[in-house]
Amino acid sequence: MTSQTPTLRQTPFALPTFNRESVIVSLLAILTLVGGIAGVGRLFLGLGSTTALSDVYSWGIWIGFDFLLIALSGVGFTMAAVVHVLHLEQFKPALRPAILFGLLGYVAVLLLLVLDLGRPDRFYHFILFWNVHSPLFEISWCVLLYTTVLAIEVSPYLSERLGWRKPLAWFFRLITPVTIVGVTLSSLHQSTLGTLYLNMPHRLHALWYTPLLPLLFFVSSVLAGLSVAMLVYQVAVRIRRKPLETSVLTGLGKGVAGVALFYLLLKLADILIAGKVAALFAFDRPSWLMWAELLPGVLLPALLLGLPSLRRKPLMWWVAPLLVVVFAIGLNRFNATLFAQVNLPGDALYTPHLLEWLSTFGILSAAALAWYVGMRLLVIFDSRAEKEFGH
Amino acid sequence: MTTQPTQTVTRRNFLKGSGVAALALWGLTATTPAAASSGAVDDDAFGMLIDITRCHGCNSCALACKKANDLPLSQDPPTCLDCKSYSYINECEAAAPDSAEQTRYVKRQCMHCLHPGCVSACTVGALRKTAEGPVVYDSDKCIGCRYCQYACPFGVPAYEWNNPLGLIHKCEMCFERLQAGEQPACVEACPTGAIQFGRRKDLLMQAHARINFDPDRYVHKVYGEYEAGGTSVLYLSDVPFADLGLPTLSDQSVPHYAEGMMTKTPVVALTVAAAATGLHFARKDKGHEAADHVDQEDAS
């Protein structure tokens, strides 16, 4: 367990005068405000006048960021599984920043989805009208249920802050089934996001289209989860001015390296077995996009965190997970949604509308801001209840 | 660690929890009918046969389509499928058999696939493959997610971009007219007999008969017989189909892999839940020991 002495005094939420923290927070608040106005505007004006979407490029950056954010929010189920299923208790300090990121990530996902829906007033229809063969149907249900699971998982952070003992006791009794339900729901929809693209054999470039897509999406969500866990833990200890436990980061780093290598092997095996080597070495646009995923996104972070001498360097704890987030996950989800979509009419083009950018960054900023407030106000480190109620 | 007192409670609650999950999964698989996209295709289902060699591009079909579907009329005939045009004539410059460039008129509309990607993909089951053949759309269910547009290899479903509460629009093979015993409006309007309506199996027989009767006139292939697992709309042509803007597709239906995965959902869910439960109990004590001696190698 942690060697710090538990302290009752939590940092009160008050904006500092003028430093880096307050500048970032103010910036996020402004982006949230502007994005909120843009988002509400879109709901009243419709998609035609507020987006660059068309019948050919019908999904744009909202969906791109949505699918990216679901993968990144995989940090919630990944860390819950690490701590509560695998019982690797040494990673407990990184658990709560991760779970809260997961919850707010999914809330942002839901907001982005509502913006993208042609009929946002009917967002609940998937509860009434079922199509069990539809990947989006399953994803909708899982996201709804898993967001609820995350809310339950976050609840003790608030209960303890407010001194509510009964809900706390209940939570710690239920933590195992709650975690397992969360891991199950996540495994389902993270892989089903890959299945979603299996319905596009005519549109998705062969380098990406493979029956392995569900497995690739699931494994990459674990890769994303471990990377985001490293990042948010480091930000959280800075916000709360706690000492950094380096073993947490080197341990997670090992995990990132291992999963990255496994993911790389899967991708290469698919390319080899399906006879797509020529496409990989075609050095056309799709080929470069795939290289950009594999080298800086997967192989490089695997090396940076796989080699013990590099893994101990604090710089790598930022660089490697950021490379994963941007290239292995971010570029991959945008390739699948936009850049690797082929066989489209030649004159089709999609340059996102300013309002799409503003509303996207508004929602992302709101989530970041809420996470920051959570880090300041909730019980994140050295939970006394956890010690008292066991687990 | 003070885990002992709560352990049994945890296990009991877990069993309760997994019981509920299993029930929910059972409900999911037991209470919902299989999507129409995977069902057996009715041999007597209707279809259309479009003979490119007989079309002169008069646009009567496109006009009749607009009238039948109450779509706004425009000065010029439509040049693409959109929310205001469910059918149009695509003018293609193709290399004719005598190698002179000649215009071909390709009537385009929904192909009414036998195993439609759009039907399989639709989040809320707003799209449905009817036993009669047409792929129909229930606008009351649609949430406007536009996944159908990605799952269609022919670029058919169109979204109403300029409506704040926009919906999807597509050809339904005049399903209401069919139910009233009439033919689709475009078929009725065609003055040259280039579009024929009938049972798909009869149309296929007729198409092959035409090819056999006049093998020099036609490309020896019926487009739509096997494309994307087969379509209810079939084409005959004297020039390669790729020159007509019709996509070159494999014989595999669009939802082949996705539906294969989706039907495994309950199995995946139960496997993951069981594996996680097993791991939890197997590692419960080991985990607590491991926590006491943190990885020494990297701690420095």
Side-chain angles (χ1 to χ4, degrees):
Chain A
M1 286 276 61
T2 59
S3 54
Q4 301 143 26
T5 46
T7 165
L8 258 182
R9 196 184 62 82
Q10 304 283 349
T11 319
F13 182 68
L15 277 182
T17 45
F18 188 80
N19 56 27
R20 196 167 59 177
E21 201 166 328
S22 66
V23 169
I24 293 174
V25 168
S26 315
L27 206 71
L28 289 176
I30 292 166
L31 281 172
T32 302
L33 199 69
V34 174
I37 295 167
V40 172
R42 169 267 169 275
L43 290 180
F44 282 101
L45 296 173
L47 291 169
S49 51
T50 56
T51 70
L53 299 172
S54 63
D55 280 335
V56 175
Y57 285 106
S58 194
W59 286 350
I61 57 168
W62 283 333
I63 294 293
F65 275 104
D66 230 12
F67 293 173
L68 165 59
L69 202 52
I70 292 180
L72 299 183
S73 304
V75 69
F77 91 91
T78 306
M79 289 308 290
V82 164
V83 173
H84 293 308
V85 174
L86 298 177
H87 296 286
L88 300 170
E89 315 262 335
Q90 65 267 36
F91 296 111
K92 233 174 208 176
L95 180 64
R96 294 190 170 202
I99 297 282
L100 188 63
F101 181 96
L103 173 65
L104 296 167
Y106 274 95
V107 171
V109 162
L110 289 169
L111 291 175
L112 279 170
L113 267 181
V114 165
L115 275 194
D116 187 76
L117 278 190
R119 291 297 302 257
D121 56 315
R122 294 178 175 178
F123 72 93
Y124 59 89
H125 269 204
F126 71 93
I127 298 168
L128 305 177
F129 306 111
W130 287 31
N131 178 13
V132 292
H133 283 155
S134 167
L136 264 187
F137 170 79
E138 190 206 288
I139 292 165
S140 307
W141 266 100
C142 284
V143 167
L144 175 75
L145 295 176
Y146 183 53
T147 307
T148 315
V149 165
L150 282 166
I152 294 170
E153 289 181 330
V154 165
S155 65
Y157 314 171
L158 184 66
S159 302
E160 184 173 357
R161 192 87 201 88
L162 299 173
W164 294 347
R165 292 186 56 84
K166 255 199 174 158
L168 271 175
W170 264 105
F171 173 81
F172 283 104
R173 261 178 236 159
L174 286 171
I175 189 159
T176 302
V178 165
T179 301
I180 289 172
V181 167
V183 169
T184 307
L185 290 169
S186 295
S187 307
L188 284 181
H189 74 274
Q190 294 286 1
S191 60
T192 303
L193 277 161
T195 311
L196 178 113
Y197 292 95
L198 288 180
N199 270 329
M200 309 177 193
H202 46 277
R203 278 187 75 129
L204 189 59
H205 189 277
L207 275 175
W208 284 267
Y209 190 86
T210 157
L212 284 186
L213 270 170
L215 183 62
L216 290 173
F217 266 63
F218 172 72
V219 174
S220 61
S221 78
V222 176
L223 179 60
L226 293 173
S227 305
V228 171
M230 292 179 77
L231 295 172
V232 294
Y233 172 62
Q234 292 178 89
V235 179
V237 292
R238 285 187 178 206
I239 291 174
R240 289 295 286 269
R241 294 178 177 80
K242 294 282 175 186
L244 194 73
E245 291 188 46
T246 55
S247 63
V248 168
L249 290 164
T250 50
L252 287 173
K254 270 190 208 171
V256 170
V259 178
L261 277 179
F262 179 59
Y263 180 63
L264 186 65
L265 280 178
L266 280 178
K267 289 269 249 190
L268 292 180
D270 170 61
I271 287 169
L272 273 173
I273 294 166
K276 300 187 279 202
V277 180
L280 184 63
F281 288 98
F283 297 119
D284 51 0
R285 204 173 96 112
S287 153
W288 284 119
L289 286 170
M290 181 52 92
W291 281 113
E293 278 185 35
L294 295 181
L295 294 184
V298 187
L299 184 64
L300 186 58
L303 290 175
L304 295 180
L305 293 173
L307 303 170
S309 55
L310 289 172
R311 180 166 63 231
R312 288 193 200 100
K313 289 192 165 55
L315 181 65
M316 298 312 154
W317 304 338
W318 291 104
V319 172
L322 277 173
L323 283 172
V324 169
V325 166
V326 173
F327 289 99
I329 313 300
L331 187 60
N332 174 260
R333 299 309 194 254
F334 272 87
N335 280 342
T337 312
L338 285 166
F339 309 139
Q341 293 271 331
V342 290
N343 300 330
L344 307 175
D347 52 348
L349 205 71
Y350 168 67
T351 313
H353 192 284
L354 177 67
L355 196 138
E356 287 177 76
W357 286 116
L358 291 178
S359 50
T360 302
F361 285 117
I363 288 170
L364 297 183
S365 302
L369 206 55
W371 184 82
Y372 171 80
V373 174
M375 284 304 111
R376 294 293 297 260
L377 287 184
L378 301 174
V379 177
I380 300 299
F381 297 109
D382 312 318
S383 161
R384 283 188 160 186
E386 203 166 80
K387 292 201 174 77
E388 187 182 338
F389 294 100
H391 259 298
Chain B
M1 292 305 143
T2 53
T3 47
Q4 269 67 35
T6 56
Q7 193 173 345
T8 49
V9 181
T10 308
R11 190 167 299 172
R12 195 183 70 214
N13 278 314
F14 164 72
L15 288 173
K16 260 192 240 162
S18 51
V20 169
L23 264 178
L25 278 166
W26 174 79
L28 195 81
T29 47
T31 58
T32 48
S37 60
S38 66
V41 180
D42 195 328
D43 229 22
D44 285 333
F46 290 119
M48 299 202 291
L49 173 62
I50 299 169
D51 190 332
I52 300 296
T53 65
R54 296 188 184 185
C55 178
H56 300 162
C58 71
N59 268 303
S60 302
C61 51
L63 187 69
C65 174
K66 290 219 173 207
K67 282 184 183 160
N69 290 295
D70 284 326
L71 297 170
L73 295 169
S74 52
Q75 198 80 42
D76 301 309
T79 54
C80 64
L81 297 180
D82 57 33
C83 63
K84 291 171 185 155
S85 326
Y86 301 172
S87 174
Y88 81 107
I89 298 280
N90 188 17
E91 283 188 36
C92 299
E93 296 305 320
D98 58 10
S99 85
E101 287 285 310
Q102 269 182 287
T103 305
R104 290 290 177 280
Y105 302 98
V106 186
K107 180 195 183 291
R108 297 293 296 267
Q109 71 292 305
C110 175
M111 299 291 285
H112 300 281
C113 302
L114 303 187
H115 305 282
C118 62
V119 170
S120 189
C122 181
T123 311
V124 290
L127 290 154
R128 183 168 61 92
K129 174 78 176 172
T130 59
E132 293 87 341
V135 174
V136 297
Y137 167 69
D138 183 349
S139 62
D140 289 338
K141 289 183 181 173
C142 181
I143 54 173
C145 71
R146 311 186 299 286
Y147 187 16
C148 53
Q149 298 190 301
Y150 281 78
C152 176
F154 303 100
V156 169
Y159 182 72
E160 210 177 332
W161 293 101
N162 289 323
N163 181 351
L165 295 174
L167 291 165
I168 286 292
H169 290 262
K170 73 178 279 296
C171 155
E172 296 183 298
M173 213 196 272
C174 291
F175 188 54
E176 281 179 26
R177 290 173 58 102
L178 259 59
Q179 285 179 311
E182 293 174 282
Q183 296 195 334
C186 57
V187 178
E188 203 174 77
C190 181
T192 65
I195 322 167
Q196 276 180 295
F197 176 77
R199 307 212 178 272
R200 183 177 184 265
K201 60 174 181 184
D202 298 339
L203 294 172
L204 260 178
M205 259 176 14
Q206 204 184 115
H208 283 291
R210 268 188 228 174
I211 293 172
N212 290 335
F213 183 74
D214 203 346
D216 295 337
R217 182 184 171 98
Y218 290 107
V219 171
H220 295 190
K221 175 187 160 75
V222 182
Y223 187 93
E225 183 171 11
Y226 301 114
E227 272 71 17
T231 57
S232 296
V233 176
L234 306 163
Y235 286 96
L236 274 179
S237 169
D238 58 340
V239 296
F241 292 103
D243 292 353
L244 299 177
L246 292 167
T248 308
L249 300 168
S250 80
D251 294 351
Q252 200 141 66
S253 73
V254 168
H256 175 79
Y257 285 120
E259 282 198 2
M261 275 307 298
M262 292 309 295
T263 48
K264 291 194 190 86
T265 299
V267 181
V268 173
L270 288 175
T271 309
V272 172
T277 311
L279 271 173
H280 163 72
F281 286 118
R283 295 211 29 106
K284 195 162 180 138
D285 302 321
K286 285 181 189 169
H288 290 183
E289 288 164 25
D292 297 334
H293 54 90
V294 172
D295 197 349
Q296 295 296 323
E297 174 209 341
D298 285 315
S300 52

